[in-house]
Amino acid sequence: MNYEERSGMLGAVQPPPKLLIERLSDGDVTCLRLMGTIDEQFDAPGLSQTIACRYLILDLGGVDRISSFGIRQWIDFVQHIAPRLAGVYYVESSPKVVDQFNMVANFGGPGYIVSFYAPYRCESCDLEKRHLFRTDEETPVWRAGQAPAMTCQTCGNKEDFDENPAMYFNYVAQQPIQAIPPAVMQFLRVHLNYGQGGQRKLRIEKRIEGRCTYIKLSGDLDSDLKPEKLADGLEGEVIVDLGGILSIDPVGTAHWRKLMRTLDAKTGTSESVERVSFIAVPAVFLERLGKPEDLTRKGQVLSLIIPYNCSRCRATTPKLVDFTMHGDELRAGRVPRIKCALCGGPVTCVVSETWFNRLQTLPQPQVTPDLKATIALLTAAPAPQTPRATMAGPAMTAPVGTPPPSGTPGWTAQPMSATPQPQQSTGWTPQPTPTPSPMGMSNPRSTMNGSMNQSSAAFARPGSISQATSLPPSQPQPPQPQGVFGKLQTIPGLLPGLLVVMLSLSGAIVYRILATPAGRAGDWSVVESSTPKAPPWHDSKFASDGSKFVGHSTLVADRTEALERADVAAQAELVSKLAEELETKDPDWRKVIQPLFAESVQALKDELDKAQKSIKQTDDPATIEAQLQPARDHQADQHKRVAASFKQSLADGAQPTLSQYWEKRARKSKGTRETGFQASTLIELDKAAFDKLVNQFRQTEAAAKIKVVPFFPLLAMRFESTVRGPVVIEVDESSPLAPAGIKTGDIVLSVLGHEVRTPSDFAKQIDQAIKELASHDLVLKVQRGKDLVDIKLAQTKAAPKKGPVFIKKGGK
């Protein structure tokens, strides 16, 4: 189900915007968290009007790009707010933001950088990492223009600084150390987990009730997570509260997975873990660590934090949803309909397709009334005041400490009322008001590095809820039986003679559970599939024609990734067939557009051919696959860029219908059993629909005697995602822009600072600019090969008005 289908259901769901802004206020301090891209759409005046505080903290750790127009909007924003504030403080500035501080004068105005990230790389692990530094501490190394030495927590080798240190630390090195107001420091300690050591530390709270152990994680999920120490002694029922996670780095990801494997390995021992229940699971955590293997075979998700974005005040409002009650609605794409907690305006749910896909793999929770009552007790009961017990690494607290005050604010939290809110005809079953918990849940803030999948890193960081909800003990729920497939998984070993077990899941999916047949080592066999019989187009020999376009994925570890790769491969195949048709029908298109992407297409084919030819002689299939994997991954990435551009070029509702099929395969290799997923996607178009697409990409618009056509998706293989404008295919010699140097093949990006996406945009902007040429210069920004070029036409001066002419007669 796509976003368009979901938007007509309960609660608006839309792809996350380019920039997400979360807001948290506490007394005289307000903090804004920015995540995504700052460009010309950044509403500087609108956002500045919502700022009413004494101190402003700007958390820029999630900013991954700032465009040229975005810099101008940002400077306007800072200039508007700075005069009326007592201080502006920048925390966790990303490397992209640090670059702007170094290059752009007055980028931060009078603001003070409290902390910033510096990029490092471990060559041994081939991982990019970011380390947080504080400017209010003694840091003589980077103040001298040198990068502090860092050691990789994974392999123990030295990490390399990934920039020029003298240039990167230039701005912060010259910034004088100043005292940070106590109110700001208190805010950083309480809400952002800033301690006295620079990096925020992972805190672990642990409470025990009978055979149930409650664990709450707060702070950065990083190398401070010690799997062996945390797993030691865990047994029985385990409840993990994830609402306090602030960020997840690659080392933390690896340690988390090791923790889950350790809990799985306890099965059958004296410390056997019966079940692991996860509560308050943030969107980013579910996207990053929501695969079944990341939650253990005995894991189940009981509640989720869903983020909503307000277009009016730019705030993000979280909603804690009981997955045990509303799992079916959420899987179907229906989300609660709420209002902005800050301004009361309408909001839209902002989650990624990956998030929805993860929901499909979550098991149906099994929650007994006793478990509900225990969770309510453990999350709501105040802890006795006893001395804190600590352990090496993260700070661990037994039942100690005091609950925070009831007025502790959350990240634009949805207020909890004492009575149930009226239910609009939304399809949600009315439920009693949840029991409030005094344990604040901060939002996760992804700091995934570039080596990991960023499909949604820039979006979906839900806010925290200071008054978290626990599962109400007063509402018994009948135990729900596990599915047949779930029960089979608990059997300590499936009989090799078991051939096929069929299960109806969502009315369509049929599973085949087979033992790996005794064959040649390395042979893959199908053990599970989406339908009992593979469709004919799943065969790699099936040839695409004028109405059927097929894409296949390679064998990958994740089913969602396999389906995604197959989808984009099918769309790339369709785009290639469109290119072939355009080349035969339109000579101008063949002459101008085709050469722009031909080299990139050929280079990709050559890379695959080279990888095939360079395979070393070996009988080990795993070795062959490993040698081909880099080229295959690059091809999948290029297909993804083409598919994204193709979707952008289609009108709303014109997205092609996809038919999908997937298989789970297994094999024995070197004594171990490996599994993977392979998928295929079919796009069917009748001749009329295909011809309509062909005509769309050959449609021309003309202005100022310049003819342009739409951006063709295969150009995305060569150009970055920021380059998506119409392409010039003809320039008349008499065009006013001909002397300025515009050429065929130029991709028009903007006219007088206004973004141009389509040929019609180009015609409107050019015609208007030509009319106003007497009052300003006409500047077009175009992409010409690898260069960004400004085409400038100077303003024309009006001829002087003629007045009366006096003729003097006579000599003198």
Side-chain angles (χ1 to χ4, degrees):
M1 182 179 299
N2 57 32
Y3 284 113
E4 289 77 8
E5 292 170 325
R6 292 193 185 102
S7 61
M9 295 186 174
L10 171 62
V13 180
Q14 66 180 19
K18 290 183 180 179
L19 184 67
L20 266 178
I21 303 177
E22 298 175 357
R23 184 190 305 259
L24 172 61
S25 296
D26 187 2
D28 291 337
V29 184
T30 291
C31 179
L32 298 180
R33 281 176 174 164
L34 283 74
M35 296 151 288
T37 299
I38 299 176
D39 56 14
E40 67 277 5
Q41 297 179 8
F42 177 60
D43 185 9
L47 182 59
S48 63
Q49 291 175 5
T50 68
I51 305 299
C53 58
R54 180 174 175 78
Y55 302 105
L56 178 65
I57 297 175
L58 293 170
D59 181 340
L60 306 179
V63 176
D64 51 28
R65 180 176 176 270
I66 306 178
S67 70
S68 298
F69 297 126
I71 293 173
R72 182 179 60 194
Q73 293 291 92
W74 177 262
I75 293 176
D76 288 344
F77 169 68
V78 174
Q79 290 176 345
H80 275 91
I81 62 172
R84 63 176 192 262
L85 298 176
V88 178
Y89 299 91
Y90 300 98
V91 300
E92 303 188 31
S93 297
S94 68
K96 293 293 185 183
V97 174
V98 174
D99 288 341
Q100 302 307 323
F101 273 105
N102 287 321
M103 294 187 296
V104 180
N106 207 32
F107 178 81
Y112 181 74
I113 298 179
V114 177
S115 61
F116 65 96
Y117 283 105
Y120 283 78
R121 180 177 184 82
C122 177
E123 294 295 340
S124 300
C125 300
D126 193 24
L127 289 178
E128 296 175 357
K129 303 182 180 182
R130 302 197 309 182
H131 293 285
L132 187 66
F133 293 132
R134 292 272 295 272
T135 61
D136 58 331
E137 299 173 339
E138 286 300 326
T139 49
V141 177
W142 59 258
R143 284 194 180 276
Q146 302 175 16
M150 305 299 293
T151 302
C152 177
Q153 296 291 334
T154 303
C155 65
N157 293 327
K158 180 183 177 181
E159 295 177 352
D160 297 325
F161 188 64
D162 215 13
E163 291 279 356
N164 182 327
M167 295 179 62
Y168 190 82
F169 297 116
N170 179 57
Y171 184 91
V172 290
Q174 297 181 28
Q175 176 182 260
I177 296 178
Q178 63 175 250
I180 299 177
V184 176
M185 283 305 303
Q186 175 67 11
F187 187 99
L188 294 177
R189 283 193 294 267
V190 173
H191 300 292
L192 298 183
N193 281 30
Y194 271 65
Q196 298 300 318
Q199 288 286 116
R200 298 163 309 191
K201 291 295 182 181
L202 178 67
R203 291 205 300 261
I204 301 177
E205 291 184 51
K206 189 175 182 181
R207 297 183 182 182
I208 300 174
E209 180 68 26
R211 286 185 53 78
C212 188
T213 302
Y214 169 85
I215 297 173
K216 178 176 176 60
L217 304 179
S218 303
D220 293 340
L221 192 61
D222 53 18
S223 58
D224 281 341
L225 179 66
K226 308 300 182 185
E228 298 85 355
K229 289 180 179 292
L230 185 55
D232 186 27
L234 286 183
E235 58 184 332
E237 189 87 46
V238 177
I239 302 165
V240 183
D241 186 339
L242 299 170
I245 296 298
L246 289 173
S247 70
I248 308 171
D249 71 8
V251 178
T253 299
H255 284 195
W256 172 268
R257 288 171 175 159
K258 184 176 182 180
L259 171 64
M260 295 298 102
R261 290 195 299 268
T262 303
L263 296 183
D264 259 343
K266 286 174 172 276
T267 302
T269 67
S270 59
E271 290 187 356
S272 178
V273 174
E274 299 170 3
R275 181 169 48 190
V276 183
S277 300
F278 302 94
I279 62 175
V281 179
V284 170
F285 188 95
L286 187 65
E287 291 170 352
R288 301 297 181 187
L289 289 167
K291 299 177 183 178
E293 59 267 27
D294 295 332
L295 302 177
T296 79
R297 291 173 296 175
K298 300 177 180 180
Q300 59 177 1
V301 172
L302 303 187
S303 58
L304 301 161
I305 299 177
I306 302 178
Y308 295 78
N309 188 58
C310 177
S311 59
R312 181 188 300 173
C313 68
R314 310 295 179 183
T316 299
T317 298
K319 176 69 174 177
L320 187 66
V321 176
D322 188 341
F323 188 67
T324 64
M325 297 181 62
H326 302 301
D328 292 339
E329 292 98 325
L330 290 172
R331 288 190 181 99
R334 299 194 294 270
V335 296
R337 183 176 289 141
I338 66 173
K339 293 183 178 180
C340 177
L342 189 65
C343 69
V347 295
T348 51
C349 177
V350 284
V351 290
S352 68
E353 284 293 330
T354 301
W355 186 85
F356 275 107
N357 291 333
R358 291 283 185 261
L359 292 183
Q360 312 305 318
T361 65
L362 296 180
Q364 180 63 36
Q366 305 297 312
V367 184
T368 63
D370 288 342
L371 177 59
K372 288 185 178 181
T374 302
I375 292 176
L377 177 65
L378 289 169
T379 57
Q385 297 185 7
T386 57
R388 173 172 296 185
T390 61
M391 64 177 290
M396 293 194 65
T397 60
V400 297
T402 56
S406 59
T408 302
W411 286 93
T412 60
Q414 182 72 9
M416 298 293 177
S417 59
T419 58
Q421 297 182 356
Q423 297 288 326
Q424 306 173 4
S425 97
T426 58
W428 288 91
T429 306
Q431 55 180 314
T433 302
T435 305
S437 165
M439 306 185 70
M441 297 191 295
S442 302
N443 74 300
R445 187 162 12 144
S446 177
T447 55
M448 298 293 177
N449 58 67
S451 65
M452 303 188 67
N453 188 344
Q454 295 274 2
S455 62
S456 68
F459 45 78
R461 285 200 307 172
S464 68
I465 304 175
S466 62
Q467 297 296 324
T469 57
S470 60
L471 298 173
S474 60
Q475 186 176 355
Q477 184 166 335
Q480 302 178 9
Q482 290 180 313
V484 176
F485 182 59
K487 291 180 179 179
L488 284 172
Q489 286 182 307
T490 63
I491 299 175
L494 295 175
L495 296 176
L498 182 61
L499 296 178
V500 180
V501 176
M502 302 181 65
L503 167 69
S504 174
L505 175 61
S506 301
I509 300 179
V510 178
Y511 294 94
R512 293 183 290 167
I513 306 175
L514 306 172
T516 303
R520 185 172 61 90
D523 285 347
W524 289 99
S525 62
V526 178
V527 297
E528 190 176 327
S529 62
S530 55
T531 60
K533 185 178 179 180
W537 43 266
H538 178 63
D539 190 335
S540 59
K541 297 180 181 179
F542 183 88
S544 299
D545 55 28
S547 61
K548 295 182 176 65
F549 309 93
V550 181
H552 306 282
S553 77
T554 55
L555 202 66
V556 294
D558 180 65
R559 185 178 69 185
T560 301
E561 183 181 356
L563 288 169
E564 180 185 14
R565 288 196 178 198
D567 290 351
V568 299
Q571 293 175 65
E573 179 67 17
L574 170 56
V575 171
S576 296
K577 295 299 181 183
L578 289 172
E580 292 176 7
E581 189 72 11
L582 285 163
E583 289 170 16
T584 60
K585 284 190 173 183
D586 195 327
D588 290 338
W589 195 94
R590 180 174 64 251
K591 179 181 178 181
V592 178
I593 307 299
Q594 196 269 349
L596 293 178
F597 63 76
E599 185 177 346
S600 298
V601 173
Q602 187 60 45
L604 185 62
K605 293 179 179 178
D606 293 343
E607 180 183 11
L608 291 170
D609 292 341
K610 183 179 179 181
Q612 290 279 1
K613 294 176 181 178
S614 63
I615 294 177
K616 298 178 181 179
Q617 296 298 325
T618 176
D619 293 331
D620 183 13
T623 303
I624 295 176
E625 291 165 9
Q627 294 173 357
L628 292 175
Q629 195 62 40
R632 289 174 173 174
D633 288 344
H634 186 217
Q635 182 188 48
D637 180 65
Q638 293 291 70
H639 283 169
K640 189 173 183 179
R641 297 173 65 168
V642 171
S645 177
F646 178 61
K647 286 185 177 181
Q648 291 174 6
S649 65
L650 298 180
D652 293 339
Q655 303 291 342
T657 302
L658 308 178
S659 298
Q660 299 176 314
Y661 171 79
W662 58 263
E663 292 179 343
K664 182 178 181 180
R665 299 179 180 181
R667 72 175 177 186
K668 287 184 178 179
S669 177
K670 297 180 180 180
T672 62
R673 187 174 185 268
E674 300 177 344
T675 61
F677 291 87
Q678 197 270 328
S680 299
T681 295
L682 170 69
I683 299 176
E684 289 190 90
L685 292 178
D686 56 31
K687 187 176 187 306
F690 182 78
D691 290 342
K692 185 178 180 180
L693 286 174
V694 172
N695 292 331
Q696 173 185 328
F697 288 109
R698 64 183 299 201
Q699 182 179 0
T700 63
E701 288 279 355
K705 298 184 178 181
I706 298 173
K707 189 181 293 185
V708 297
V709 294
F711 185 91
F712 192 69
L714 283 181
L715 294 171
M717 297 178 65
R718 177 180 179 184
F719 300 104
E720 296 298 327
S721 59
T722 53
V723 181
R724 291 293 184 273
V727 186
V728 177
I729 63 168
E730 183 179 325
V731 179
D732 192 282
E733 293 180 357
S734 60
S735 168
L737 285 172
I742 194 167
K743 299 179 180 180
T744 58
D746 286 349
I747 302 174
V748 183
L749 305 181
S750 66
V751 177
L752 287 177
H754 299 287
E755 186 180 47
V756 174
R757 284 285 184 175
T758 64
S760 59
D761 289 344
F762 169 80
K764 292 176 183 178
Q765 296 291 349
I766 286 290
D767 287 342
Q768 183 64 29
I770 292 291
K771 293 177 182 178
E772 301 174 0
L773 194 57
S775 58
H776 55 67
D777 295 341
L778 172 56
V779 179
L780 279 73
K781 191 174 291 294
V782 304
Q783 185 77 34
R784 181 177 297 164
K786 297 180 180 180
D787 301 322
L788 195 61
V789 180
D790 287 340
I791 306 296
K792 183 176 181 180
L793 182 61
Q795 60 183 326
T796 58
K797 296 182 179 180
K801 295 181 179 179
K802 293 184 178 181
V805 179
F806 297 94
I807 301 175
K808 188 176 180 180
K809 297 182 178 180
K812 295 183 180 179

